[in-house]
C-alpha cells in the first residue's frame, strides 16, 4: 500500500472517530409522558402532559447546552413547556429536583447531570400523536444564536389514556423553530 492510500485511510479513521466522540458529549434520557388533571385554587380544571428528562455532560470539560423543549401534535398545534411548581412537587421524590428547560440551559460542568420537567397545558384532545422536540443537544462548543441546531424528536402515539413511544432520533425537521421564536 502506498503512502497516499495509507494517509487517506488514516484520515477517514480520524474523521470517523471525531464524529463519534462529538455525538456522545451528553447522555440524554427521558420518561414516558404522563397525563394529569389539575385544578389550582379557583381556576378551572386543566389537563396537562408531564414529561421528565435528564441531560448529563459525559466529557471532562465544561460545555454549554442551550436546551429548549416544545410539543407539536399531529393536529398541527404547538405548545410551549411550562413550569408549575405545584405539579412539579407531585412528581418529585426525595431529594430529586426537577428544573425547567430555561433553568437547565447553560453551562454543564464535567459529569454534571441536570433533571428537567416539561409541562404542556391543554393538549388538543383529538391528537393521536405528539412530537416532543428538544433542541440544544448538538453544537456544544460551537453554538451560536441562530445556528441550525438539529432537534431530538420523540414521537408518542395515544394508547387509551396513555402515550406509547413510537420513534425517536435526531431530526432535521425545524418546523418547531418558527414556533419557538415567538417566545424569544
Amino acid at each position: 500500500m502506498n503512502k497516499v492510500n495509507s494517509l487517506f485511510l488514516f484520515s477517514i479513521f480520524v474523521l470517523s472517530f471525531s464524529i463519534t466522540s462529538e455525538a456522545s458529549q451528553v447522555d440524554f434520557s427521558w420518561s414516558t409522558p404522563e397525563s394529569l388533571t389539575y385544578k389550582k385554587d379557583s381556576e378551572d380544571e386543566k389537563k396537562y402532559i408531564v414529561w421528565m428528562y435528564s441531560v448529563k455532560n459525559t466529557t471532562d470539560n465544561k460545555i454549554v447546552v442551550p436546551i429548549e423543549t416544545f410539543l407539536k401534535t399531529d393536529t398541527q398545534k404547538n405548545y410551549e413547556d411550562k413550569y408549575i411548581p405545584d405539579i412539579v412537587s407531585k412528581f418529585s421524590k426525595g431529594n430529586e429536583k426537577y428544573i425547567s428547560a430555561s433553568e437547565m440551559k447553560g453551562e454543564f460542568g464535567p459529569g454534571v447531570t441536570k433533571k428537567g420537567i416539561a409541562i404542556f397545558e391543554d393538549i388538543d384532545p383529538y391528537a393521536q400523536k405528539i412530537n416532543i422536540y428538544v433542541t440544544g443537544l448538538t453544537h456544544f462548543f460551537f453554538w451560536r444564536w441562530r445556528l441550525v441546531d438539529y432537534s431530538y424528536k420523540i414521537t408518542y402515539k395515544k394508547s387509551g389514556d396513555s402515550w406509547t413511544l413510537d420513534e425517536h432520533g435526531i431530526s432535521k425537521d425545524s418546523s418547531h423553530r418558527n414556533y419557538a421564536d415567538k417566545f424569544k
Side-chain angles (χ1 to χ4, degrees), residues 30 33 49 51 68-81 118 120 123 127-135 151-158 163-169 171 173 175-176 179:
W30 64 89
I49 289 180
W51 182 71
E68 292 187 43
T69 57
F70 308 94
L71 185 143
K72 185 174 184 175
T73 65
D74 59 344
T75 58
Q76 304 309 310
K77 294 187 179 170
N78 299 300
Y79 301 87
E80 69 174 313
D81 71 331
F120 303 102
I123 303 301
Q128 294 301 305
K129 278 190 176 183
I130 57 173
N131 298 305
I132 297 176
Y133 294 93
V134 181
T135 63
S151 60
Y152 199 86
K153 178 181 169 187
I154 306 162
T155 302
Y156 295 95
K157 284 195 288 189
K158 195 167 202 168
W163 298 95
T164 58
L165 182 64
D166 186 35
E167 63 182 349
H168 63 92
S171 171
D173 174 5
S175 62
H176 64 284
Y179 178 75

Side-chain angles (χ1 to χ4, degrees), residues 8-129:
F8 177 73
L9 289 174
F10 179 74
S11 298
I12 290 175
F13 173 74
V14 169
L15 286 175
S16 66
F17 179 73
S18 65
I19 291 168
T20 302
S21 299
E22 213 174 285
S24 62
Q25 291 176 347
V26 297
D27 278 342
F28 173 59
S29 60
W30 64 89
S31 68
T32 301
E34 296 182 38
S35 298
L36 173 75
T37 303
Y38 179 72
K39 180 178 180 177
K40 183 177 180 179
D41 301 326
S42 62
E43 292 180 8
D44 290 337
E45 191 172 77
K46 294 182 182 176
K47 294 185 181 201
Y48 297 90
I49 289 180
V50 180
W51 182 71
M52 293 163 283
Y53 59 97
S54 69
V55 177
K56 178 181 180 181
N57 176 359
T58 60
T59 71
D60 294 330
N61 302 309
K62 290 180 183 176
I63 59 173
V64 174
V65 182
I67 195 163
E68 292 187 43
T69 57
F70 308 94
L71 185 143
K72 185 174 184 175
T73 65
D74 59 344
T75 58
Q76 304 309 310
K77 294 187 179 170
N78 299 300
Y79 301 87
E80 69 174 313
D81 71 331
K82 298 180 179 239
Y83 188 85
I84 304 170
D86 290 344
I87 292 176
V88 173
S89 68
K90 292 179 183 297
F91 288 88
S92 298
K93 297 172 188 151
N95 291 356
E96 240 174 10
K97 183 180 179 210
Y98 291 104
I99 58 177
S100 67
S102 62
E103 288 178 282
M104 182 181 287
K105 177 185 305 193
E107 195 172 274
F108 279 60
V112 168
T113 300
K114 295 182 183 180
K115 294 183 177 195
I117 190 167
I119 302 168
F120 303 102
E121 184 178 303
D122 286 332
I123 303 301
D124 184 351
Y126 297 107
Q128 294 301 305
K129 278 190 176 183

